[in-house]
């Protein structure tokens, strides 16, 4: 669990960056939020940063079974399961 202050902060450490990217991915794919709105919610990031993060997680999901399992667990817990 990563504190919200670190997720929306400027840290580029993997421990903060991956959860931040997952949040952006879920906001875009499950909530259909705009890139600008997502960026605003995660530390006033630019829409291109959000787009990069969403794409990065989508690419990682193709090969990273653990990330896929984690993401599925998060979506179930959050009530986003399809």
């Amino acid at each position: 669990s990563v504190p919200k202050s670190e997720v929306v902060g400027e840290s580029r450490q993997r421990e903060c960056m991956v959860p931040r990217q997952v949040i952006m991915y879920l906001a875009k794919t499950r909530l259909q939020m705009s890139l600008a709105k997502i960026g605003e919610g995660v530390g006033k990031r630019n829409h291109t940063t959000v787009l990069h993060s969403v794409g990065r997680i989508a690419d990682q999901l193709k090969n990273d079974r653990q990330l896929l399992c984690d993401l599925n667990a998060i979506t179930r817990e959050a009530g986003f399961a399809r």
Side-chain angles (χ1 to χ4, degrees):
S1 175
V2 180
K4 179 183 175 183
S5 62
E6 291 186 28
V7 172
V8 298
E10 296 190 21
S11 175
R12 292 183 180 220
Q13 292 182 341
R14 182 171 174 77
E15 296 80 24
C16 299
M17 206 165 53
V18 173
R20 182 183 306 132
Q21 290 175 334
V22 167
I23 288 168
M24 291 187 234
Y25 175 83
L26 290 174
K28 184 63 183 161
T29 61
R30 302 290 195 220
L31 301 176
Q32 289 78 46
M33 291 175 66
S34 72
L35 299 175
K37 190 77 166 173
I38 296 167
E40 184 70 25
V42 289
K44 304 200 185 305
R45 285 176 167 74
N46 187 291
H47 74 281
T48 58
T49 301
V50 177
L51 185 61
H52 172 77
S53 295
V54 170
R56 186 169 175 95
I57 293 298
D59 287 344
Q60 285 180 320
L61 287 171
K62 295 173 188 172
N63 301 312
D64 188 338
R65 288 173 125 337
Q66 185 60 54
L67 179 61
L68 180 61
C69 288
D70 292 344
L71 193 71
N72 286 336
I74 291 167
T75 57
R76 276 193 306 276
E77 282 186 39
F80 294 143
R82 292 180 189 186

